[in-house]
Every structure is written in structure tokens, then in C-alpha cells.
Amino acid sequence: MISLLTVIPVGRRPIALAPRQVGPAIALAPLIGVLVWLPAAGVQIAVRVLLHNPPNLVAPTLALATVALMTGGLHLDGLADFADGLGSRRPPAEALAIMKDSAIGAIGAVTLIFVLIVQGASLQLAIGRHHGTVALLTAVLAGRLAVVHACRTGIPAARTDGLGISVIGSVSAARSAIVTALVFVVAAVAGKLDIDGGRLRESVHATFAVFCAVIVAALLRRLAVRRLGGMTGDVFGALIEVAVVVDLFVMAIPAPSWLH
């Protein structure tokens, strides 16, 4: 799982998983998200300290760049490819062929730029409200949780080959529910321990952001199944990035003052 979702080296040779081991491994995707969050949060905090907490996009940009570096840019590439395929309005087979092309089209490029701008601006607003590290944590958790949900049994694959074919349909509904509950617990605790934490609204805010991200990712997943016939590795990347941008956007919104 580490080698699938990050560029962190785990050995000289890949480890082959038995079919019954794939589901439990995919269920650990949010934990892999924590490994990505740690260096990104460190960079974010270090830049704020070095630049005396500037009200600009330097800290969030470098933090998000660290996330992209840790994942090899694979998810961003998947988002662009998915946008190109979806925006082509072609039949499933032709849309999948467009997605498989390594070149990024105009729709994919515009989508990528838009998503990155909203991610960076939203994270900066969250930093300005003193919960930037928690926002980054809930975002990476929500993105990987979206992948767990997309790998549930009963959700088909759009291709018979590709990066995601071995994991599609591998996660049971029960395991998915358990992982979801754990992610919400982590988000609630993170909100409680935030610098402005200690209040109910910070925990609610963090969990609500994850909830919104998961819902939007689920709608995008349904759209992918309807338009493409199922999941692909590119769709996984799109789900992650869309969940991240939704989570960060919600975390940028001030929590209601009446929620104590």
C-alpha cells in the first residue's frame, strides 16, 4: 500500500499480496495518508516560523507541494486524465482511451489549475484561523477514505487491466464502515487538540469537513461508474484530489459561533 499510494521506498522488490490480503491493505489507506501528512505539516509549520507567519500562499503551497512530491504527483495526473475523459463526452471506451493517453488536454489542465488554486487558498484561510495542520490532516484522511469506499465490493472496474484492477472490489462493506468510523474519530480528536481546540465546534468542524468530502467523492464515484462503467486508477486519483479540495474548503469556512 505504501508503494501504491506514495513514493516512499519499502524495499528493493515489490511484495505480492494474496487476494485475501488486498482488502485489509487498502483499508489502511488513511494510515498511509498520515505518513504523507507528517512531512507536509512539518514543512507548513517550518515555513510559517521562518517567515513569521506570513498571510500569503507560501506555506500552503509548499505544504501541498510536499504532498504531491510524496505521492509522485500520481493523483494529480489521475485527476487531469479523468477530467479529460469525462469532458470529452465520448462513449465509455473512447473516454477510457483518452484517459489512458499520457498527454493532458485543455480540460484536464484547467481542472488541475482550478483545484490546486482552491486547495492552496482554502488551506491558507484555514491557517489564518489557526487550524491549518488539522485541515491538512483531515484532507489527506478524507482523500484516502474516498479510495477505501471506491474499492468496496460490488463497485465494478472499468478496465480489465491497469493500476487499480487488483484493488477494485476488494474491501468489504463492514471493513469500509469500520475504517470510516475510525477516520471520523481521528478527525474529532484532531479538532479537539487543535490550538483553538477544547471546544465542541472544532471537533464538529473537522468531522463535518471529512463528511462533506466523502459525500462529494461518492457522487463523483457514481458519475464515474455511470459514464465509464467502473473504477480505474485515474478515477482513484480524481477522488483523492476532489475529496482534498472539498475538505480544505469546508475547513476554511468559520465554524458557527453558537456551536460551543
Side-chain angles (χ1 to χ4, degrees):
M1 274 304 300
I2 293 177
S3 61
L4 180 64
L5 296 176
T6 72
V7 294
I8 300 174
V10 292
R12 295 182 179 180
R13 294 182 299 177
I15 300 173
L17 295 177
R20 61 183 177 82
Q21 296 175 312
V22 174
I26 288 296
L28 295 176
L31 180 60
I32 307 303
V34 176
L35 295 180
V36 173
W37 168 75
L38 286 171
V43 168
Q44 179 175 285
I45 294 171
V47 171
R48 291 177 60 194
V49 171
L50 289 172
L51 299 182
H52 303 288
N53 199 21
N56 56 47
L57 291 172
V58 176
T61 298
L62 291 180
L64 293 171
T66 302
V67 173
L69 182 64
M70 293 289 292
T71 58
L74 189 62
H75 308 145
L76 293 171
D77 181 66
L79 172 66
D81 288 340
F82 178 64
D84 280 333
L86 207 63
S88 70
R89 300 184 181 182
R90 302 286 182 86
E94 295 181 29
L96 288 169
I98 291 173
M99 291 168 60
K100 199 169 185 179
D101 190 341
S102 59
I104 297 179
I107 297 177
V110 170
T111 300
L112 202 57
I113 293 171
F114 174 76
V115 167
L116 288 174
I117 289 175
V118 176
Q119 285 183 359
S122 297
L123 183 54
Q124 174 54 37
L125 287 172
I127 291 173
R129 297 192 172 99
H130 307 292
H131 49 244
T133 52
V134 172
L136 194 59
L137 174 61
T138 57
V140 297
L141 287 174
R144 279 70 189 171
L145 182 59
V147 171
V148 175
H149 289 178
C151 289
R152 292 202 312 267
T153 53
I155 298 177
R159 296 192 181 103
T160 57
D161 60 353
L163 184 61
I165 189 63
S166 63
V167 301
I168 295 172
S170 62
V171 180
S172 67
R175 182 171 284 116
S176 174
I178 293 172
V179 173
T180 301
L182 290 174
V183 168
F184 277 110
V185 168
V186 171
V189 171
K192 191 75 171 177
L193 297 178
D194 195 9
I195 189 171
D196 284 342
R199 292 169 293 185
L200 174 63
R201 70 181 183 188
E202 301 302 333
S203 291
V204 173
H205 195 182
T207 54
F208 183 66
V210 175
F211 174 78
C212 291
V214 169
I215 292 299
V216 173
L219 294 176
L220 185 63
R221 184 185 71 237
R222 291 173 65 90
L223 177 63
V225 171
R226 188 172 73 248
R227 284 283 288 109
L228 304 175
M231 294 290 102
T232 71
D234 287 332
V235 177
F236 287 152
L239 293 177
I240 289 175
E241 293 301 330
V242 168
V244 167
V245 74
V246 171
D247 184 283
L248 291 176
F249 180 80
V250 175
M251 287 297 290
I253 300 172
S257 58
W258 50 266
L259 187 59
H260 297 290

